[in-house]
Amino acid sequence: MTTDEAGPGLDPAARASGVPPLVEPGPPLSASEVARFSRHLLLPGLGEIGQRRLRNARVCVVGAGGLGAPVLQYLAAAGVGTIGIVDSDVVEVSNLQRQVVHGTADVGRSKVTSAAEAVAAIDPQIVVVLHALRLTAETVDLLLDYDLVVDGTDNFATRYLVNDACVDAGLPEVWGSVLRFDAQVSVFWGRPPAASGVAPVQLRDLFPHPPEPGSVPSCAEAGVLGALCGQVGSMMATEAIKLITGTGRPLLGRVLVLDALEQRWTELPLVGAAPVALAAITDTAITDTAAAPLAGHRPARPRATVADGVPTLSAGTLARLLEAAAGGEVPVTVVDVREVDEHVTGVIAGAVSIPLGELLAGRGMGDLPTAGPLVVVCHAGLRSEVAARFLIGTGYQDVSHLAGGMLAWRGQMIDADGTTP
């Protein structure tokens, strides 16, 4: 089959991926571009047409930090024609441990300026658009100038703002998060073109609402392995390239969870929620603590409540419930979905251990009571929300998860008696 028979500008291998290429091919490559991208041109499913798509693509990278840095480097090296960089911060010396797009000489400089110079050093033909600002409801429309958004941000307010804007605009989004030795990567497309065959899925299908302020520590509070940012950022760049060129199978409807200490990837399925009426959604200004749906940009579903989300418990509330249960009141079953080797950092006495992968595969559920409250816990409160939603979907009525996970629990124990559990 020729390229023309497969469709305008669409090579057969790209069509076989099941997700149409995001960007039309640009002009023919110059001799210097053929030399620069020769290793891409050899790849089945990418080739010369795919490289022309990359050259014609416009990608916005939100955040020039730990994740944004490797994303920018590899998108530049891949030949993406236009790259937008959004960041309002300046480079600090503590950034250099993981934000490899910046150097010691850049401390005190604008991150977007430093990152733009690094991109230009890789390929001076790339058009770099600098957005030295923080995304808000008033500025998020800048995303409309791009074909694809890569979210490398480090705060919940901006993550939900970016998600809601992408859903409204019909833009695909590559998403990742890192904390300590753990990471997650996925691809969201909350409102894909009707003829694309792509099932809608977005961040609010994974985490319907942001955690309570202070319940999940930031990287500045809990730390992060610098090399992990490179590992995850490289994967995010790969997903962006796949979407642009129509190569391979993107992470749509799938979430990869990485335990870097064990170097173990776990894949979780993610199904988008059915569309709901939006008339009841109230326009609310976005704040760092609210992460409400974007004013003027409607998400594909309303902000979650206890009715359609997952209830959370604070560490203090869980401690009081367990104390009451020990005194003969309603028993509480704690379900620990961490890997067994994570228990060395501490466990909650009496907890039922079912690693998340096992639970999602339907194994271990026979150890759970058919009645009474279940409280799901993990390391930082991310996997536990996925597990709690799964349990609710299988018919369990009284399910919540521990906000902040075992990190918050250990903090509660220290506050209670000055010792670690």
Side-chain angles (χ1 to χ4, degrees), residues 289-342:
T289 57
L294 173 62
H297 293 265
R298 303 297 195 179
R301 57 185 299 187
R303 187 180 180 189
T305 64
V306 171
D308 63 356
V310 178
T312 61
L313 290 181
S314 68
T317 299
L318 177 57
R320 290 189 291 273
L321 287 175
L322 292 174
E323 183 178 358
E329 297 186 26
V330 178
V332 177
T333 301
V334 176
V335 185
D336 191 332
V337 296
R338 297 175 298 163
E339 299 297 323
V340 174
D341 51 15
E342 293 180 81

Side-chain angles (χ1 to χ4, degrees), residues 313-320 402-403 405 407-413:
L313 290 181
S314 68
T317 299
L318 177 57
R320 290 189 291 273
L402 177 60
L407 294 175
W409 179 258
R410 287 195 291 273
Q412 168 66 26
M413 295 301 100

Side-chain angles (χ1 to χ4, degrees), residues 335-412:
V335 185
D336 191 332
V337 296
R338 297 175 298 163
E339 299 297 323
V340 174
D341 51 15
E342 293 180 81
H343 294 182
V344 68
T345 62
V347 296
I348 296 176
V352 178
S353 174
I354 311 176
L356 181 59
E358 296 291 307
L359 180 68
L360 296 177
R363 295 188 286 269
M365 296 175 65
D367 297 331
L368 301 180
T370 56
L374 302 179
V375 180
V376 189
V377 304
C378 68
H379 175 65
L382 301 177
R383 285 172 287 175
S384 61
E385 184 167 356
V386 175
R389 188 175 298 110
F390 173 81
L391 289 169
I392 292 171
T394 61
Y396 285 89
Q397 299 296 314
D398 190 351
V399 183
S400 57
H401 80 108
L402 177 60
M406 291 299 294
L407 294 175
W409 179 258
R410 287 195 291 273
Q412 168 66 26

Side-chain angles (χ1 to χ4, degrees), residues 19-342:
V19 177
L22 190 61
V23 179
E24 287 297 311
L29 302 176
S30 65
S32 63
E33 288 174 323
V34 169
R36 175 183 286 267
F37 304 117
S38 60
R39 301 304 187 268
H40 270 181
L41 304 186
L42 299 173
L43 294 175
L46 198 154
E48 189 257 349
I49 291 294
Q51 191 61 54
R52 287 165 55 191
R53 295 186 195 279
L54 288 168
R55 232 15 176 183
N56 201 35
R58 298 176 59 86
V59 178
C60 188
V61 179
V62 184
L67 293 177
V71 169
L72 287 166
Q73 290 176 319
Y74 276 105
L75 291 184
V80 170
T82 300
I83 299 177
I85 309 173
V86 180
D87 204 307
S88 62
D89 291 340
V90 298
V91 179
E92 299 177 2
V93 69
S94 62
N95 300 150
L96 304 182
Q97 162 258 6
R98 64 199 178 281
Q99 299 181 16
V100 293
V101 79
H102 313 296
T104 301
D106 296 312
V107 172
R109 302 179 68 209
S110 164
K111 282 188 179 179
V112 294
T113 301
S114 171
E117 291 176 0
V119 168
I122 294 171
D123 184 351
Q125 293 189 48
I126 293 174
V127 176
V128 185
V129 183
L130 280 63
H131 303 283
L133 51 81
R134 181 171 184 149
L135 282 186
T136 66
E138 288 71 39
T139 61
V140 77
D141 277 348
L142 67 86
L143 300 180
L144 299 176
D145 292 333
Y146 297 91
D147 304 304
L148 172 66
V149 176
V150 179
D151 181 4
T153 58
D154 62 357
N155 68 86
F156 291 104
T158 307
R159 288 175 188 169
Y160 282 81
L161 177 69
V162 169
N163 171 82
D164 294 347
C166 286
V167 171
D168 182 71
L171 292 171
E173 173 192 354
V174 179
W175 172 87
S177 68
V178 293
L179 184 69
R180 289 190 169 175
F181 302 101
D182 300 317
Q184 300 171 87
V185 186
S186 191
V187 173
F188 304 131
W189 204 344
R191 194 163 59 85
S196 67
V198 175
V201 65
Q202 58 159 308
L203 174 64
R204 291 183 184 271
D205 296 316
L206 180 61
F207 300 119
H209 57 90
E212 291 298 320
S215 64
V216 178
S218 66
C219 291
E221 296 166 328
V224 61
L225 181 66
L228 176 61
C229 296
Q231 188 175 0
V232 175
S234 296
M235 178 167 286
M236 294 169 69
T238 299
E239 290 302 302
I241 292 168
K242 288 160 59 181
L243 286 165
I244 291 167
T245 62
T247 305
R249 180 186 171 207
L251 278 172
L252 286 161
R254 298 181 291 152
V255 182
L256 291 185
V257 179
L258 173 61
D259 174 354
L261 289 180
E262 292 296 326
Q263 207 59 272
R264 179 188 294 117
W265 285 101
T266 302
E267 180 179 308
L268 309 178
L270 179 63
V271 178
V276 297
L278 300 177
I281 300 178
T282 302
D283 285 341
T284 308
I286 193 85
T287 69
D288 280 347
T289 57
L294 173 62
H297 293 265
R298 303 297 195 179
R301 57 185 299 187
R303 187 180 180 189
T305 64
V306 171
D308 63 356
V310 178
T312 61
L313 290 181
S314 68
T317 299
L318 177 57
R320 290 189 291 273
L321 287 175
L322 292 174
E323 183 178 358
E329 297 186 26
V330 178
V332 177
T333 301
V334 176
V335 185
D336 191 332
V337 296
R338 297 175 298 163
E339 299 297 323
V340 174
D341 51 15
E342 293 180 81

